[in-house]
Amino acid sequence: DYAKLDDAIARRVFSVFAQPYSLFIDESDIGKEQAAKLESLCQVRDGSRSGDVFHTGYHMTGLGAVGGSRRNVMVLKPDIWSSTAKGFVSSNEHTQEIIKNIRYMMNDSACEMSLDRGYDDAEMMNFLDEYDVFYCVRAKSSRKYDNGGNKYTIDELAGRLKGKYVQSFVDSEGNHKEVKCSGTIVTHTDFSHEVILVMERFSDSDVRFYLTNRVDVTKKGVTDAIRLYRKRWRIEEVFRFAKQEF
């Protein structure tokens, strides 16, 4: 069956890819506006449009692995699901079950994961800590963090962190670029332990923040977290394929 095939593919990937395994996960949608008779259709947000535009279809959680060169990408769990299906509890619980299954196949091997800001959720991050997953997640701007005995918003921390290090990278179009970056230890009452808030400054008007449980504020620690997050963009290939084929 499909579950056994997924497991066989995942185990084969883990036997070939080098550790630590770099995983990425995100959610998208598959529109089925003209298919009213399909089973368990639900309302999903149309990710191709700006604003809160919803249509009939299915949710999709894509989980994959990226090889060391970032050129090798393998889909491990292209999971299509519905919030109206029998037994559904929540999106978080559904995602956690996928991650639990993948971690079981790894036999406690080192694992790192990049996630978009939709996963900046204390329950999810504490779950990843529990399952020994090093993560880097795009940070939301709504939370206040404890830093050095004071509470700061992300905008306030952006003014304090000017960019201690410089990182060079090649963008998706092959252009060589440099960004300033920094990291600082923060805590929050909802987190199980302290984390690193990583800042990436492209310009004064384009400053991005990430949360990682890899507690290392050296240049290597900060730039490794940013490189891990950049791998997440490979998941767009997963979604493009699924939307074309399903």
Side-chain angles (χ1 to χ4, degrees), residues 38-190:
L38 285 177
E39 183 179 359
S40 300
L41 286 167
C42 62
Q43 290 296 302
V44 296
R45 183 180 175 277
D46 187 347
S48 65
R49 304 179 191 176
S50 59
D52 291 331
V53 179
F54 291 83
H55 58 193
T56 302
Y58 296 102
H59 299 279
M60 186 178 73
T61 301
L63 188 148
V66 181
S69 66
R70 291 178 59 192
R71 296 179 180 177
N72 301 320
V73 58
M74 178 62 71
V75 180
L76 302 180
K77 289 286 180 179
D79 195 44
I80 298 168
W81 54 277
S82 170
S83 56
T84 63
K86 185 178 180 180
F88 175 80
V89 177
S90 70
S91 174
N92 253 9
E93 181 168 308
H94 188 86
T95 302
Q96 288 173 12
E97 284 301 317
I98 294 174
I99 296 173
K100 284 180 187 178
N101 188 25
I102 290 295
R103 288 300 285 142
Y104 172 76
M105 295 180 196
M106 290 180 178
N107 296 319
D108 297 323
S109 299
C111 169
E112 57 187 21
M113 181 174 288
S114 53
L115 310 99
D116 201 14
R117 60 164 59 99
Y119 293 98
D120 178 3
D121 174 85
E123 178 188 346
M124 177 61 72
M125 289 187 284
N126 291 338
F127 165 82
L128 294 173
D129 282 331
E130 180 184 351
Y131 280 83
D132 295 322
V133 177
F134 287 115
Y135 62 78
C136 183
V137 56
R138 181 82 177 267
K140 294 178 181 176
S141 59
S142 55
R143 188 185 292 114
K144 279 195 171 184
Y145 298 93
D146 295 316
N147 177 249
N150 297 302
K151 293 184 181 296
Y152 299 99
T153 64
I154 275 186
D155 288 339
E156 290 169 339
L157 285 167
R160 294 170 59 85
L161 298 173
K162 301 299 183 183
K164 185 176 180 181
Y165 311 117
V166 175
Q167 185 196 36
S168 301
F169 70 99
V170 179
D171 66 15
S172 58
E173 297 178 355
N175 301 311
H176 290 266
K177 294 187 176 182
E178 289 187 345
V179 294
K180 293 182 178 180
C181 51
S182 295
T184 186
I185 297 174
V186 298
T187 58
H188 191 276
T189 53
D190 291 339

